[in-house]
Structure formats: structure tokens, C-alpha cells
Amino acid sequence: MMKSVGQARVHPLKLAALTAPLSCMFAPAALAQELNDIDFDLALEIRGVESDLDFDEGEEIDSSGIGARVRVGANWQAGYDTSVRVRADASIFEFRDDERDSLDSVGGRVEVTHQYSDEVQVRGFVRRVENVALLEANSADQTSVGARLQWQKDNDRVRVTGEYRNREYDTATGGNGEGYRAIAQYNRRIAPYQWIRFELRHEDNESEDEPRRSYNRQIAHLRYSQPVAKRLRLRPSLEYRQWKYDARIAQGDPEGDLREDNYVAPGVDIAWGSATRGPYATASAEYRFRQSNDERFGSDAVRVGLRVGYRF
């Protein structure tokens, strides 16, 4: 007796045999579509620093020398309102001081950004960097995790960031440190490439293994950007920093107090190029009016720098 059409069945093995060629045909197309949703970028940069300082005071190089950096990134639009960015970078900096080894750093960062509304955006991130110069140590490895909340309407933008940081010092004792950083920033856009920005930071670091590396620091930074020609901007700035250590006695202090430092630094950048693709260059100069109750760190200082690179 013949089975009706509605009762017909196809054996699973036969179904697999029939659909396998189709899967092979459409899988590369699906993969290609996924890759088309990913934007890749590459940046190469060389930099030079000329400074009166022979020590570092943050995540930036403050000592004289020359270096290079390469950065590779990928952006994926994971959804209508969500994007993912992965970035890896490597850098080398050769200090002019022969007593200091070159600083070879590698790092990676992953961040997820979600646009909750036209005005509110949230971002979470995690980063790992090895052999980086810090305020309390010339070399350390750092793992950090944090989040950023952004509100933007018309030409006004406010960002608030919180970050936890764990540090492993490249010292003979191999101590660790941990702490947090909080940042509040306001940006007012006036016209294309013309804006004014004010930022406040508070940082705290604690080290039980090496108490001399414990500190807290506050930073206030004001910057203005003014276009002066095609692809050329002038950016004057003013920065104030103050910090104190938990367990460093100030040398030369008659009271034997713990070390406390601060400086005011007027500066200016001249930036050329696009912020997205193509060649770019930034020349910077600042003068730091320093004060310290440690006689070794109370002198004023000049720092000038030059960055030249290309974004692919």
C-alpha cells in the first residue's frame, strides 16, 4: 500500500547527505558576513621626549628618550545598540639615561559599549599591560577593570569612570599593589575640532608588601582646542597635580614628614591630521612649577614631546 504524501519521511542520514553540500556553500558566506561586520584598524607611531625630569610620574613617559608603538584594534557591532572593541598594543622606549633599561611594554584591552538611549551610554572594560611606568615604580604589570557612564545631549557631554587596578611590581621583592581611580569629565563642543574640556581625577594605591609604594593623588586638567588651519589645531592646557605617599620620609624636611608633592603645569599642543585615518603629528610642551617637601623633587621642569604616526 502506498504511503500518502503527508506520511512521507526522510531518513536522517539521507537528510544530512542532502544538506551538507548546502552548508558548505553558505558557511563561508555567513563567515564573510560576520567579518564584514568587524572593522579593523592599525596605528604606527614614533615619539620623542626631551625633559628636565629623570623620573616618571604616571602612565606617560616623563624622561628623555625616543620610542615607537604599534596598535591593532577590531570593532564589532554585536547588536543594534551594543559594540565590542578589542585592542592590542606593543611599545618600546629607549631612555637617554644609560643607567635605565629600555621600557618594552605589551598590553591588551577589551571593552563593551551599550547605548541605552540617545543620551546615555555605558561601557565596561578590562585591560592587561606588562612592564609599564607608574607613579610609584619604574616598571610594573597591571590588570584593571572598570566602567564608564556617559551622558551627552547636543554639544554637552559628561563622563564618569570608575576603575579598579591591581599591580605587580618588577622589583627584587616582587611586591603587589591595588587601588582605584575615579574620573569625572565635562566636554563642551563649540564647533568641529573646537571644544573645551575639564577633568578631575582621584587615585588611590595601597601596597602591603612595599608600603613605600602606597599613595593617593588628585589631578585637575583644563584643555581647549582651537582650529587654526585645515587639519591643524592649537590646544592650550592647564594642569594641577598633588600627591602624597603613605610611607616615604621627605629627604631634607626638618620635621621628618612624609613626602608631599604638587605642580602646576601650563602647556600647549599643536596637533595635525585626522582623528580616524591617515597621518598625524602632535608636538607638546609644558612647564611644571613644582613644590615638594623632599629636596630632591622641588625643582621646576620643562617637558617637550613629539608624536608622529599613521592610522590605517
Side-chain angles (χ1 to χ4, degrees), residues 77-253:
Q77 195 66 34
Y80 181 76
D81 296 320
T82 304
S83 62
V84 179
R85 175 166 174 78
V86 179
R87 189 184 75 189
D89 54 82
S91 64
I92 182 172
F93 193 86
E94 294 284 349
F95 295 99
R96 181 179 299 176
D97 184 357
D98 295 334
E99 296 182 0
R100 295 186 62 179
D101 296 332
S102 63
L103 191 65
D104 307 324
S105 301
V106 293
R109 178 184 172 105
V110 178
E111 60 186 36
V112 179
T113 303
H114 182 72
Q115 194 75 35
Y116 270 100
S117 66
D118 292 339
E119 299 175 354
V120 179
Q121 180 192 91
V122 175
R123 172 176 296 175
F125 59 88
V126 59
R127 175 165 171 76
R128 171 70 178 181
V129 60
E130 297 189 357
N131 199 25
V132 63
L134 302 170
L135 171 64
E136 74 278 20
N138 286 334
S139 177
D141 303 333
Q142 176 175 282
T143 302
S144 58
V145 59
R148 188 190 78 185
L149 176 64
Q150 174 179 295
W151 174 87
Q152 183 170 356
K153 185 175 182 180
D154 298 327
N155 294 321
D156 297 299
R157 187 186 72 198
V158 177
R159 288 175 172 175
V160 178
T161 304
E163 182 181 9
Y164 168 78
R165 304 183 294 188
N166 184 276
R167 293 168 170 176
E168 305 159 23
Y169 301 118
D170 298 332
T171 60
T173 55
N176 294 332
E178 63 176 349
Y180 67 92
R181 174 169 63 177
I183 306 173
Q185 181 192 97
Y186 169 72
N187 191 93
R188 171 70 178 181
R189 183 179 183 271
I190 303 170
Y193 293 105
Q194 183 182 13
W195 44 260
I196 186 169
R197 181 179 301 160
F198 180 64
E199 183 175 285
L200 289 174
R201 296 188 191 182
H202 176 80
E203 302 175 7
D204 187 84
N205 186 72
E206 299 287 340
S207 176
E208 296 182 359
D209 304 309
E210 298 186 80
R212 65 182 304 272
R213 304 193 188 280
S214 300
Y215 72 91
N216 65 79
R217 175 169 63 176
Q218 295 78 40
I219 302 173
H221 193 193
L222 179 65
R223 174 170 288 186
Y224 173 73
S225 175
Q226 174 65 52
V228 293
K230 184 178 181 179
R231 306 184 72 188
L232 186 67
R233 284 89 63 196
L234 184 68
R235 300 189 300 207
S237 63
L238 181 65
E239 183 179 71
Y240 174 75
R241 296 191 181 200
Q242 64 177 23
W243 64 99
K244 60 176 64 176
Y245 294 95
D246 294 356
R248 296 191 187 188
I249 302 298
Q251 181 174 304
D253 188 328

Side-chain angles (χ1 to χ4, degrees), residues 299-311:
S299 300
D300 296 344
V302 176
R303 182 192 185 277
V304 296
L306 177 64
R307 295 174 178 266
V308 179
Y310 194 96
R311 298 185 183 97

